[in-house]
Amino acid sequence: MSKLKALMSLALGASVAAAAVVGPAPAALAAVQPNQGAAVVVPQAAGDRLNTANKQQIIDVFNGINKFRASKGLNPVKFNATVSELSEDWSDKMASTGDFKHNPGYTQDPRVVDRWSNAGEIIAYRTDTRGQGLVDQWIGSPGHNRIMSDPAYDTIGVGISIKKDANGRVKMYGTVNFFKFRTPPTGQYNTASAFFGSTAPSPAPAPAPAVVSAPAGPSIQSAGDILAVDQAGALWNYGTGKSNANSSAWKVGSGFGNAKEVHVADWNADETMDIVAQWESGKLSVYPGKPGGGFSSAITIGASGWAGYEVTVGKWKKTDRYPSVVAKSGSGILYQYPNLSGGKLSARTQVDTGWKSLTINQLDWDKDGNTDIVARTSAGQLKLYRTNGNGKFVSESRRIIGNSGWNSMNALTSIRGYSGAGTQGLLARSDAGVLYYYQANDSGWAGRVTVGTGWKGMEIAGH
């Protein structure tokens, strides 16, 4: 009897357990059973329609799945180019429509119909382009883990589609179809690298800073230090002032490869900067900085459910002693999570609704002492939402402070103190990897400053 399995990952790093602590509740996993589907035109040569621009992600997913299977003592699966076209067709469809769901007809596709005895499908999406990140998500989900651990499967196809959404953010969709074939389709290879013609090159190298010894004192010298996570998960401090991504930096941490976002803040108000990390697993952690360098063990301030939220950190109210979290849910609700003691978060309060199409940064743009929200719209404009200093938005027409073109920046984050005490602004990275600084000067932006080049592939820390 044939065996059909399909599970879906609903969000980046989605948790499958309900949270009993302060923080948003995670989405639950859902199962969708495949059924009959429509025909797809078969290409003349196996794999000739695969998007080679995504070959590194395809190879990383394939290798990651086999590495995981090896850890369980299982035989490796083979790579099939025809099946990969089937998988890629579905990833492309999800990317073009934004409709994240399973392919209901993959088992009856003409490319594989009547060839298989076992079949399964896993899908996921991410807001970066790390193929191994997709595998890590599936490993962390019991249902997906079970499919990858099934010894019956002998062949997979891997399909990747990468696009930008309306806010200029990258979204990568991945589909993997598992089969046990009686007769495999054409295009069967031992590895994905073999299909692409040779051993795969290493991923595009992350910027390699000239490593220097950390200066005496805290690992983060000031709020204006630029911190970034490289593709290996190492956290680097480039200090303040102009810096290329391969200029001098000191390593302040490792193991941040699965961090969705990293923020710098004096969380406990001890005059030593700390790290707030939002993890793809849905956890939120604080690493207290030590005055003499290094960090204390992580404090969990949100156990689960944070993966689908856009998180910012700052002093939301004028009277706040400690920075807090202002986060936007996937449905566009803006919440504040107070930090009343320099430790864990208190119960959230709803700030506003209707923010789904906006990306957010906390910034005192007009320098009146009240924290504002600078929001990027889907049209690529920057819009100012001023507050009254007590966590409420001023009732007024929202001023456009950036006319257009901001969707060309694939990273946008606030920073305080970069140009000296009291300064605030935005760090923005172009698709070419150029990092710029835009300083807020009361009623306008100061002239754009080029921080440096080579920042493509780095996760820039927020402040």
Side-chain angles (χ1 to χ4, degrees):
M1 180 177 293
S2 65
K3 178 174 55 178
L4 304 180
K5 299 177 181 178
L7 290 167
M8 63 188 291
S9 177
L10 292 180
L12 177 63
S15 173
V16 297
V21 295
V22 174
L29 283 176
V32 179
Q33 294 298 327
N35 52 36
Q36 304 301 312
V40 181
V41 176
V42 181
Q44 291 183 346
D48 66 357
R49 292 193 299 107
L50 284 180
N51 186 351
T52 57
N54 300 332
K55 74 175 183 178
Q56 190 60 57
Q57 287 79 12
I58 294 172
I59 290 169
D60 289 347
V61 167
F62 177 85
N63 290 345
I65 288 174
N66 270 336
K67 182 178 179 181
F68 171 70
R69 287 174 65 88
S71 73
K72 291 179 167 286
L74 300 173
N75 290 329
V77 290
K78 295 183 183 296
F79 179 85
N80 189 279
T82 298
V83 178
S84 293
E85 287 182 342
L86 187 160
S87 304
E88 186 175 280
D89 286 345
W90 192 252
S91 291
D92 286 344
K93 182 172 182 177
M94 290 192 292
S96 64
T97 64
D99 192 5
F100 182 64
K101 64 181 182 181
H102 276 280
N103 180 355
Y106 75 95
T107 60
Q108 299 302 308
D109 186 286
R111 289 169 284 193
V112 297
V113 70
D114 296 331
R115 293 176 176 270
W116 55 269
S117 59
N118 296 66
E121 178 179 86
I122 56 178
I123 62 175
Y125 73 83
R126 296 178 62 80
T127 54
D128 61 24
T129 58
R130 293 195 310 113
Q132 181 61 42
L134 292 171
V135 179
D136 292 340
Q137 285 176 240
W138 291 321
I139 290 174
S141 165
H144 302 80
N145 189 305
R146 190 162 54 250
I147 288 180
M148 292 194 298
S149 302
D150 194 326
Y153 296 127
D154 56 22
T155 302
I156 64 172
V158 181
I160 300 293
S161 187
I162 300 172
K163 68 170 293 184
K164 285 186 178 181
D165 65 17
N167 295 319
R169 290 188 166 188
V170 169
K171 186 169 279 190
M172 176 175 69
Y173 290 84
T175 302
V176 181
N177 291 107
F178 289 74
F179 289 97
K180 179 176 177 59
F181 283 118
R182 292 184 294 269
T183 306
T186 58
Q188 189 89 330
Y189 294 83
N190 286 332
T191 66
S193 298
F195 164 73
F196 285 111
S198 63
T199 301
S202 300
V211 181
V212 297
S213 298
S219 294
I220 305 175
Q221 298 276 293
S222 74
D225 288 0
I226 295 179
L227 272 72
V229 180
D230 67 17
Q231 291 176 340
L235 181 63
W236 297 91
N237 188 340
Y238 291 85
T240 58
K242 292 187 178 181
S243 299
N244 288 335
N246 59 356
S247 60
S248 297
W250 58 94
K251 189 175 180 180
V252 299
S254 58
F256 286 89
N258 289 325
K260 183 180 180 184
E261 292 183 12
V262 174
H263 299 267
V264 174
D266 186 3
W267 188 256
N268 54 9
D270 65 351
E271 299 185 351
T272 300
M273 303 308 293
D274 312 310
I275 294 171
V276 180
Q278 179 190 10
W279 299 96
E280 292 170 356
S281 65
K283 187 165 68 172
L284 200 62
S285 306
V286 172
Y287 295 81
K290 296 179 179 180
F295 300 87
S296 300
S297 299
I299 300 169
T300 298
I301 60 174
S304 63
W306 289 87
Y309 279 62
E310 182 180 354
V311 169
T312 65
V313 179
K315 290 187 177 180
W316 182 237
K317 298 179 181 178
K318 200 169 187 175
T319 57
D320 285 347
R321 179 183 178 189
Y322 305 103
S324 62
V325 170
V326 173
K328 185 193 74 172
S329 73
S331 60
I333 302 175
L334 207 62
Y335 296 103
Q336 188 221 357
Y337 297 81
N339 168 22
L340 302 179
S341 63
K344 295 190 176 182
L345 297 172
S346 298
R348 72 187 185 185
T349 58
Q350 182 173 312
V351 178
D352 202 5
T353 59
W355 290 73
K356 187 173 183 178
S357 64
L358 303 173
T359 58
I360 60 174
N361 278 286
Q362 291 190 53
L363 186 70
D364 181 12
W365 188 81
D366 57 3
K367 302 186 75 172
D368 65 353
N370 301 328
T371 297
D372 310 313
I373 294 288
V374 174
R376 179 169 58 179
T377 71
S378 58
Q381 296 178 318
L382 293 185
K383 191 176 288 188
L384 177 65
Y385 291 77
R386 297 194 308 135
T387 76
N388 61 6
N390 195 35
K392 303 291 184 182
F393 289 117
V394 176
S395 179
E396 62 183 4
S397 298
R398 305 305 173 196
R399 181 179 172 187
I400 302 298
I401 58 175
N403 288 327
S404 63
W406 290 87
N407 277 349
S408 65
M409 301 297 177
N410 59 32
L412 192 66
T413 185
S414 58
I415 187 168
R416 299 167 178 85
Y418 177 73
S419 291
T423 60
Q424 296 191 43
L426 292 174
L427 291 173
R429 183 185 61 206
S430 71
D431 285 340
V434 182
L435 191 64
Y436 300 102
Y437 173 65
Y438 296 82
Q439 184 170 311
N441 279 356
D442 297 329
S443 58
W445 298 104
R448 182 174 79 175
V449 174
T450 300
V451 175
T453 59
W455 291 87
K456 191 174 183 178
M458 303 286 275
E459 177 69 34
I460 312 298
H463 293 66

